[in-house]
Amino acid sequence: MQNPLLNRLGIEHPVIQAPLGGGPSTPELVATVSNAGGLGSLGAAYLTPDQITESIRQIKSLTNKPFNVNLFAGGYEAKPYDPKPMLAVLAEIHEALALPAPTLPALPADPFPAQLEAVLAADPPIFSFTFAIPNPDAMAKLKARHITIIGTATTVEEARLLVDAGVDAILAQGAEAGAHRGTFAGPFESAMIPILQLTPSIRNAVSVPVIASGGIMDGRDISEALRVGASAAALGTAFLTCPESGASEAYKGAILAAGKDTTVITRAFSGRPARGLTNAFITKMAGKENMILPYPLQNILTRSMRIAAASCGNSGFLSLWAGTGVARARALPAADLVKRLVEEWPAKKVG
């Protein structure tokens, strides 16, 4: 099938592998999805500029097809906090994991400007972002290189702001989506809109194509998204369990073991609302939300715990980001998953 967005992106199928920041979106996963006719995406938000350069070099060595690079465009929170209660909670967990006592990290500079320069130098065909809108200078630099720009919206208002800023397409993030909420123009609670409602609302409000994201796991889900006005669908959880994914075995195992949707929205791991499988750490922080530090301090503070938990296979202290369709995850090679998705949707034409 073809539509204007697929033509613009240079892909065969309306299947986009979501960025999956933090390690799962390896160059192998990105390239394999792109080689299969979809759009692979590198989640580069936690990478240094040098790592971004190297990852894009690896992707280009594995595919000559288009791919996407994604960054967090800000999102830092400025609010007062007392770190002592959170440090006390983590001290117990660190001791159980044989880690040194936690210490309060310094607030780092926003990495986005330097990361974007690395992206611009590497010149990928497609760039996407979430958490905010890059400044006009950054947008102008992307456009000067003829890079297709995709921005994340969780409301119609955000979609309009993104179009005004010059994006070429909107990624509509429905309430069902796993990982961090991309809300930037209001409280996230007011932006928890189901994807089959959000997609047509945005499509009717803006002139650029819309990509649906949130709880999409199979071909029928893709067909439904296309039916309500999406030009393509982005799937994250569905690709996490592919062998090419860099997710830890404990993370993959927790997803594949999920017999039903046990996801919740939590700020426990990063300080920013995100959807994931409930586990020991989320339960431990229930009722203690006032202890959680603002993003990105909480994210940095819990990193040692998450790394140690992954290395020892303890999913209780991992951020198990997943969407509401998690119980339908499949452990298929990425190319096979793209093929299966294409075979599954009943209607392959967009009106």
Side-chain angles (χ1 to χ4, degrees):
M1 63 171 292
Q2 284 295 313
N3 62 46
L5 178 66
L6 301 196
N7 293 335
R8 175 70 182 263
L9 298 178
I11 62 176
E12 182 181 357
H13 308 302
V15 176
I16 297 173
Q17 166 247 314
L20 307 173
S25 56
T26 62
E28 291 76 16
L29 177 61
V30 175
T32 300
V33 174
S34 290
N35 284 334
L39 181 68
S41 302
L42 175 69
Y46 300 117
L47 301 181
T48 65
D50 286 347
Q51 289 171 329
I52 290 171
T53 300
E54 176 59 18
S55 295
I56 294 176
R57 185 198 67 77
Q58 290 181 37
I59 293 168
K60 288 183 174 181
S61 75
L62 296 170
T63 185
N64 59 3
K65 300 293 182 66
F67 61 92
N68 168 44
V69 178
N70 176 271
L71 292 176
F72 295 163
Y76 278 33
E77 292 181 303
K79 63 181 183 181
Y81 61 89
D82 175 6
K84 293 190 288 293
M86 193 68 239
L87 287 169
V89 169
L90 285 173
E92 298 177 11
I93 298 171
H94 275 222
E95 184 176 1
L97 293 172
L99 291 171
T103 57
L104 181 66
L107 181 64
D110 182 359
F112 179 78
Q115 290 174 325
L116 182 63
E117 288 304 316
V119 170
L120 291 168
D123 198 27
I126 300 153
F127 173 75
S128 66
F129 61 87
T130 187
F131 288 10
I133 302 177
N135 62 41
D137 180 61
M139 296 292 283
K141 288 179 178 178
L142 288 160
K143 287 186 173 295
R145 287 165 173 77
H146 305 288
I147 296 172
T148 297
I149 308 170
I150 302 172
T152 303
T154 61
T155 64
V156 168
E157 177 190 2
E158 290 177 348
R160 289 184 172 129
L161 291 171
L162 288 166
V163 171
D164 289 345
V167 302
D168 300 299
I170 299 290
L171 186 291
Q173 186 189 42
E176 303 90 339
H180 287 104
R181 303 297 302 162
T183 304
F184 63 88
F188 90 92
E189 293 91 347
S190 64
M192 296 295 289
I193 305 167
I195 192 56
L196 295 181
Q197 176 184 338
L198 181 64
T199 298
S201 296
I202 291 179
R203 185 68 191 89
N204 291 334
V206 301
S207 58
V208 302
V210 178
I211 300 161
S213 175
I216 298 173
M217 297 295 291
D218 58 30
R220 288 187 175 275
D221 293 339
I222 295 172
S223 180
E224 277 296 288
L226 300 180
R227 183 184 63 80
V228 298
S231 294
L235 296 77
T237 309
F239 284 101
L240 273 172
T241 46
C242 294
E244 297 91 346
S245 160
S248 68
E249 291 306 312
Y251 188 179
K252 291 180 180 180
I255 290 174
L256 292 172
K260 60 180 180 179
D261 173 22
T262 62
T263 63
V264 295
I265 300 290
T266 181
R267 292 175 53 245
F269 288 100
S270 72
R272 188 177 178 93
R275 183 181 292 281
L277 293 171
T278 189
N279 62 3
F281 187 64
I282 293 174
T283 300
K284 190 175 186 68
M285 291 306 300
K288 302 174 184 175
E289 287 78 11
N290 61 328
M291 296 183 183
I292 297 171
L293 306 190
Y295 176 86
L297 287 176
Q298 182 76 4
N299 195 56
I300 299 168
L301 187 60
T302 63
R303 186 169 291 148
S304 295
M305 173 189 74
R306 290 180 278 121
I307 291 172
S311 67
C312 68
N314 185 341
S315 63
F317 297 103
L318 282 175
S319 48
L320 303 171
W321 303 143
T324 58
V326 62
R328 293 183 286 139
R330 299 172 280 195
L332 291 173
D336 291 349
L337 178 56
V338 173
K339 182 180 179 182
R340 184 78 61 87
L341 292 169
V342 173
E343 292 171 348
E344 284 173 343
W345 73 69
K348 299 181 183 177
K349 293 182 179 179
V350 176

